Amino acid sequence: MNDTFEPVDAHDRDLALSATGLLGTFNAAGVLTAADVHVATTLGGLAGERDESVLLAIALSVRAVRHGSVCLDLAAVPGSLPDVDVPWPAPADWARAVTGSPAVGAGLVHVEHGLLYLDRYHEQETQVLGDLHERAAVTHLVDAALLDSALDRVFPDAASAEQRAACRRAATRATTVITGGPGTGKTTAVAGLLAVLVEQAEAQGRGLRIALAAPTGKAAARLEQSVRDSATRFAPGDRSRLEGVTAMTLHRLLRQHPGNSTRFRHHRGNRLPHDLVVVDEASMVSLTMMARLLEAVRPEARLVLVGDPDQLTSVDAGAVLTDLVRGYEHRDDTPVAALRTAHRYGEDIGRLAEALRLGDGDAAIAALRTGGDAVEWVSEGDPAGTIRSAVLPHALAVHDAAAAGDPTRALAALDRHRLLCAHRDGPFGVRHWNRRIEQWFTAETGVSVLDAAYLGRPLLVQSNDYSLGIYNGDTGVVVSGAAGPRAAIATGVGFQEFAPSRLGDVETMHAMTIHKSQGSQADEVTVLLPDEDSRLLTRELFYTAVTRAQRKVRVIGSESAVRSAIARQALRASGLRARLSDARNVTDTDPG
């Protein structure tokens, strides 16, 4: 993936005007930013490193972190920038120079398995390995007969065999990873696990301290509501065991230090008090946050990580869930329990999602062409007509309910359709299509969209506001109220109403980015793919978009864009997978 920048002019802030040699060449070519160069020269100065090829490697490792990797694969990095005309060092000489660098000797950077790490990320990865190894030695004893009867009671039908197996694994282990695509029953498994473990604790005459958490406030609210919804199918006794269970963000669970986003009040010297910690949407957890979580959870407490390793990963460095799944897959002591049977959508969407997950371009094209009523593919022509016919009826339904002062109906109408874009800007971006849809909306209704509180305006919250109890990713609608327009924000357990002026960081949401849609769902989804050359167009992005749909997915994009997305994976360099695969490396780690 060619992630370079094009300098605007000689005064572009990304240009390091004092950079010379390889650093200057790679900076001028748009590979390195001024910040990358600055970090490399600073570390080089501290270690007395003068070899410009080593300084280049350090700068590229800083760049790698910016792009989501926790380290730099020296052998692979030239191939990742095939269209950039720069003088790459000879691979063997480069590797020897980096390995023997004074910066490595000083511990400012580390080399392992041919990967170059900045010290912070090597320490975090090593700590994660050490903590997982320590936790793997812990076994939880359970009343087997009581567990069997509880699992049969909570999951009585044959279709729940995967959930039963996942809960059985999690009941006896300190660490469990429950994976599966959307609609495979991950949250149902979590609810069942809570019920059977609370019963185990009751039989021992004690309580069970439970923490449910997720990376974002929106994901935490969804987790809490999903557990409650799952519990409604349980017997009264099991439902009562889940009463009062709430979810929160990881930052609130660990109690973030004011002014420091990576340090928390709960850590190795002040562990969390909980007996069971469940983290949903774990694919969005970065390496740094996973390290902070593992050091805060007591070694003897159960930790359950839940997520889909094929979805988009954290916006910060690392793809920990994917590394755990792939790293453990050939080990006998794997803590991974996979749920594979999808219940959210039908067979047609399922075939497309599976083809995307496997990276099978031919199967994906076939699924798009023969998807029936559930899968529609628009591969040619101006997308405006298709988008107008898909979006406008839903926008008008939202407006009608909002004008009638019915927030429940307006929010329900809002959730019937999502237009998902890869980009924020440009002809395929959210901003462009929000403007176009508002023009169509005004032409149909006569409502001026110049007023930020126009009735029927769909809202997307952009940041957490704990004082109001709304979170980044929450959605809502401006509706008519007795005293004027009100913003109804969905909470997962209903909605809250506010004066629109109280909402600071919100955007119009006729269209939204695929990244923002992660973890949500809608009856019908329209996916607008960008041109095949877009650096954002990846298999994980496409898969995440398609699997938001419950009943119908509409894909707008050329065959070349579809195939390009499937062929391009958002690979992130990490040593965690390889080090987990080799049990000998795990036993040598020290959690610090």
Side-chain angles (χ1 to χ4, degrees):
M1 194 179 299
N2 190 356
D3 292 322
T4 58
F5 72 92
E6 294 185 9
V8 175
D9 53 39
H11 303 287
D12 192 304
R13 65 179 182 179
D14 283 327
L15 288 177
L17 300 181
S18 61
T20 60
L22 285 175
L23 290 179
T25 299
F26 276 71
N27 177 230
V31 176
L32 299 175
T33 65
D36 302 332
V37 172
H38 176 70
V39 173
T41 54
T42 299
L43 293 181
L46 291 173
E49 177 57 75
R50 300 183 182 277
D51 188 327
E52 63 181 63
S53 72
V54 175
L55 297 179
L56 172 64
I58 295 173
L60 287 169
S61 69
V62 179
R63 175 186 185 275
V65 170
R66 286 196 294 105
H67 289 284
S69 294
V70 300
C71 54
L72 177 72
D73 187 338
L74 282 170
V77 65
S80 69
L81 294 162
D83 301 324
V84 181
D85 184 16
V86 287
W88 293 101
D93 294 341
W94 198 17
R96 279 193 297 271
V98 171
T99 301
S101 167
V104 173
L108 299 176
V109 294
H110 301 264
V111 177
E112 189 163 348
H113 296 298
L115 304 172
L116 177 63
Y117 295 80
L118 300 175
D119 179 61
R120 169 186 174 184
Y121 294 98
H122 185 266
E123 178 185 10
Q124 289 174 358
E125 189 175 281
T126 301
Q127 179 211 307
V128 166
L129 284 161
D131 284 336
L132 288 172
H133 177 62
E134 180 183 359
R135 295 179 59 78
V138 177
T139 300
H140 286 271
L141 299 178
V142 296
D143 183 327
L146 183 62
L147 179 63
D148 288 342
S149 64
L151 289 175
D152 289 340
R153 183 182 67 246
V154 173
F155 301 113
D157 56 85
S160 301
E162 292 177 337
Q163 282 89 347
R164 280 196 297 273
C167 289
R168 189 180 301 281
R169 185 188 298 265
T172 58
R173 303 184 65 98
T175 306
T176 307
V177 182
I178 299 178
T179 69
T184 53
K186 297 187 296 294
T187 310
T188 300
V190 168
L193 177 66
L194 299 184
V196 301
L197 290 182
V198 169
E199 185 179 37
Q200 288 277 329
E202 290 171 348
Q204 298 171 15
R206 60 181 180 86
L208 189 73
R209 293 167 293 185
I210 298 171
L212 301 183
T216 67
K218 180 69 172 177
R222 285 193 301 267
L223 172 61
E224 181 178 326
Q225 181 60 29
S226 296
V227 168
R228 292 184 183 181
D229 290 344
S230 297
T232 60
R233 298 191 291 269
F234 295 166
D238 290 316
R239 284 202 302 272
S240 68
R241 292 185 172 103
L242 302 189
E243 287 180 357
V245 173
T246 59
M248 66 187 77
T249 65
L250 281 171
H251 282 79
R252 296 195 84 178
L253 174 67
L254 299 178
R255 298 182 61 200
Q256 182 179 341
H257 274 294
N260 190 326
S261 62
T262 62
R263 290 293 170 186
F264 300 90
R265 299 187 188 279
H266 287 292
H267 46 71
R268 204 172 301 280
N270 181 31
R271 305 272 194 172
L272 289 166
H274 305 92
D275 305 302
L276 170 63
V277 177
V278 178
V279 179
D280 196 18
E281 298 290 354
S283 65
M284 300 167 65
V285 179
S286 67
L287 176 65
T288 298
M289 182 57 79
M290 187 63 73
R292 300 287 87 86
L293 173 67
L294 284 169
E295 72 177 11
V297 177
R298 292 182 295 120
E300 68 275 15
R302 291 180 177 91
L303 173 64
V304 180
L305 304 174
V306 184
D308 183 351
D310 298 305
Q311 285 191 24
L312 290 166
T313 53
S314 165
V315 295
D316 297 317
V320 181
L321 183 69
T322 301
D323 285 339
L324 293 181
V325 173
R326 307 294 182 246
Y328 276 116
E329 64 184 348
H330 298 302
R331 286 178 51 166
D332 294 335
D333 61 342
T334 178
V336 179
L339 308 181
R340 305 191 184 281
T341 305
H343 306 285
R344 173 185 292 182
Y345 38 67
E347 181 181 350
D348 292 330
I349 297 178
R351 283 197 303 123
L352 175 58
E354 184 66 3
L356 296 178
R357 189 183 73 81
L358 296 175
D360 190 333
D362 291 339
I365 294 297
L368 286 167
R369 285 176 174 159
T370 61
D373 293 335
V375 177
E376 178 184 346
W377 184 23
V378 180
S379 59
E380 297 178 353
D382 185 350
T386 300
I387 291 175
R388 188 182 193 281
S389 62
V391 176
L392 189 57
H394 295 284
L396 296 177
V398 171
H399 171 260
D400 290 345
D406 190 339
T408 300
R409 184 158 59 93
L411 290 169
L414 184 67
D415 283 339
R416 293 194 188 106
H417 181 268
R418 288 283 188 274
L419 171 60
L420 303 181
C421 306
H423 293 262
R424 288 187 59 79
D425 299 302
F428 298 97
V430 165
R431 289 194 175 102
H432 171 80
W433 288 105
N434 272 328
R435 288 193 298 269
R436 290 289 300 274
I437 295 164
E438 284 190 325
Q439 291 170 357
W440 298 330
F441 175 81
T442 297
E444 289 288 332
T445 63
V447 173
S448 172
V449 298
L450 298 178
D451 182 357
Y454 70 83
L455 297 182
R457 181 192 178 196
L459 303 173
L460 178 64
V461 178
Q462 295 291 93
S463 61
N464 296 335
D465 188 330
Y466 293 111
S467 65
L468 296 181
I470 60 176
Y471 305 101
N472 186 4
D474 281 351
T475 58
V477 180
V478 176
V479 301
S480 177
R486 304 285 290 172
I489 305 296
T491 63
V493 291
F495 62 89
Q496 298 187 75
E497 284 194 31
F498 306 97
S501 59
R502 295 188 66 189
L503 303 179
D505 195 5
V506 294
E507 290 187 355
T508 300
M509 194 199 70
H510 290 293
M512 69 188 305
T513 64
I514 297 170
H515 278 83
K516 281 286 187 180
S517 75
Q518 190 164 359
S520 66
Q521 60 187 34
D523 288 349
E524 181 181 328
V525 168
T526 298
V527 183
L528 178 61
L529 296 180
D531 283 339
E532 60 189 273
D533 294 330
S534 168
R535 66 181 182 85
L536 295 181
L537 190 58
T538 64
R539 184 189 306 175
E540 292 82 0
L541 188 88
F542 196 3
Y543 171 84
T544 299
V546 166
T547 54
R548 300 309 92 208
Q550 291 182 286
R551 297 181 182 176
K552 179 174 182 175
V553 62
R554 179 183 297 103
V555 176
I556 303 176
S558 66
E559 180 172 344
S560 60
V562 170
R563 291 190 180 275
S564 179
I566 295 169
R568 184 185 293 136
Q569 284 190 273
L571 298 177
R572 294 186 168 191
S574 162
L576 185 58
R577 184 180 310 188
R579 295 167 77 181
L580 277 172
S581 298
D582 185 353
R584 292 170 299 176
N585 289 328
V586 179
T587 58
D588 292 338
T589 58
D590 178 4

